[in-house]
């Protein structure tokens, strides 16, 4: 069942949660919604326009991570189909929590959303937007995991002009989140993920992030690897913030 919308969750330990939320709210320019959940563990980063696609969660245990919510009309039916493709169901809480064959956590939810927020324009004139989740997949599980996500979403898989270690899933028009599949050199381990930004000026955007507390870890020809003040790694890329593709 192809998702009608995808939300990315920044999941943080209790010790890192407040600092992580403050940083990502300042970085995106999005306000934070009132908390919700039994323990006030969930909140939404509310964009200036369009529908929300970034949320935060305070974890009870485990390390910081990214997980995805896939929005569908019928969460139960979608979860059953995902299990048929190789997923493992973890819990049915009204929304259904699952893990991919490679161990990546995702959920099926029924919340409706339809309007992709526009990129933000910053002082100096450049623009940027969080618009991609990169699934970091160990080499031994790459083929199976890539096929799983292509079948799960119904999105076509496409090779990259940058590296044979990257494949993307072609995002339907209006979707807020692209999915990039990265083959890691690590042979084993669970699939994990990080967020990617698209920006019209990577140097200016890097300076903006560093000014808010980020640390530059690496710079490549088409992307820069950053670490936020709590240790979460993410990337800035040269992709067009409107289209999501390289110029």
């Amino acid at each position: 069942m192809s998702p009608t919308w995808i939300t990315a969750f920044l999941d943080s330990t209790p010790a890192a949660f407040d600092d992580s939320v403050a940083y990502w709210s300042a970085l995106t320019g999005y306000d934070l919604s009132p908390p919700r959940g039994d323990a006030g563990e969930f909140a939404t980063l509310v964009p200036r326009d369009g529908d929300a696609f970034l949320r935060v969660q305070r974890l009870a245990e485990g390390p910081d991570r990214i997980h995805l919510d896939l929005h569908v009309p019928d969460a139960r039916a979608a979860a059953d189909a995902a299990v048929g493709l190789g997923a493992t169901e973890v819990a049915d809480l009204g929304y259904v929590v699952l893990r991919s064959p490679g161990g990546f956590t995702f959920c099926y939810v029924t919340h409706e959303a339809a309007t992709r927020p526009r990129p933000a324009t910053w002082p100096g004139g450049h623009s940027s937007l969080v618009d991609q989740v990169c699934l970091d997949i160990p080499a031994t599980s790459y083929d199976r995991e890539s096929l799983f996500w292509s079948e799960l979403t119904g999105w076509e898989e496409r090779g990259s002009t940058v590296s044979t270690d990257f494949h993307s899933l072609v995002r339907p028009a209006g979707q807020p989140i692209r999915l990039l599949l990265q083959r890691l050199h690590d042979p084993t381990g669970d699939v994990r993920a990080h967020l990617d930004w698209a920006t019209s000026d990577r140097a200016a955007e890097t300076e903006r992030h560093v000014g808010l507390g980020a640390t530059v870890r690496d710079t490549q020809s088409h992307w820069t690897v950053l670490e936020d003040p709590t240790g979460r790694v993410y990337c800035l890329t040269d992709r067009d913030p409107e289209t999501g593709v390289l110029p």
Side-chain angles (χ1 to χ4, degrees):
M1 185 180 295
S2 185
T4 59
W5 192 260
I6 295 182
T7 293
F9 262 86
L10 293 91
D11 299 332
S12 301
T13 63
F17 181 76
D18 289 343
D19 288 343
S20 178
V21 169
Y23 176 78
W24 283 89
S25 179
L27 201 60
T28 57
Y30 295 173
D31 292 331
L32 186 68
S33 74
R36 60 186 182 279
D38 293 341
E41 69 271 33
F42 298 114
T44 299
L45 293 173
V46 182
R48 300 167 182 168
D49 61 273
D51 292 318
F53 67 103
L54 293 173
R55 291 185 168 87
V56 296
Q57 177 180 200
R58 185 179 63 250
L59 297 171
E61 59 183 14
D64 293 353
R65 67 182 185 188
I66 300 292
H67 87 261
L68 297 177
D69 275 5
L70 307 183
H71 299 232
V72 291
D74 187 334
R76 183 67 264 163
D80 291 342
V83 169
L85 293 173
T88 301
E89 184 170 330
V90 177
D92 188 339
L93 306 169
Y95 56 93
V96 187
V97 184
L98 303 103
R99 290 195 182 96
S100 73
F104 182 77
T105 299
F106 67 100
C107 301
Y108 276 116
V109 301
T110 57
H111 314 309
E112 294 185 359
T115 304
R116 179 176 178 254
R118 293 185 55 79
T121 300
W122 305 106
H126 80 283
S127 61
S128 68
L129 180 71
V130 176
D131 77 329
Q132 183 168 269
V133 169
C134 179
L135 298 178
D136 301 316
I137 307 171
T140 53
S141 58
Y142 187 82
D143 290 343
R144 184 186 183 197
E145 191 76 4
S146 297
L147 178 62
F148 172 79
W149 284 98
S150 180
E151 292 181 336
L152 188 77
T153 59
W155 298 2
E156 177 188 357
E157 187 174 343
R158 181 174 294 173
S160 168
T161 59
V162 174
S163 170
T164 56
D165 287 334
F166 293 112
H167 288 79
S168 61
L169 299 182
V170 180
R171 171 180 61 182
Q175 281 278 2
I177 294 291
R178 288 166 44 98
L179 295 179
L180 181 67
L181 311 170
Q182 177 178 203
R183 187 197 315 270
L184 299 178
H185 294 161
D186 300 339
T188 59
D190 283 343
V191 176
R192 48 195 185 270
H194 68 266
L195 294 180
D196 287 341
W197 291 70
T199 179
S200 61
D201 186 333
R202 182 156 47 108
E205 184 70 354
T206 300
E207 184 177 354
R208 188 178 74 85
H209 287 233
V210 170
L212 289 170
T215 301
V216 176
R217 290 185 47 168
D218 190 24
T219 301
Q220 297 289 332
S221 57
H222 294 293
W223 69 89
T224 299
V225 183
L226 298 177
E227 183 177 303
D228 80 6
T230 69
R232 187 187 301 276
V233 174
Y234 64 99
C235 294
L236 306 180
T237 79
D238 291 329
R239 294 176 301 101
D240 187 306
E242 291 285 356
T243 66
V245 299
L246 286 171

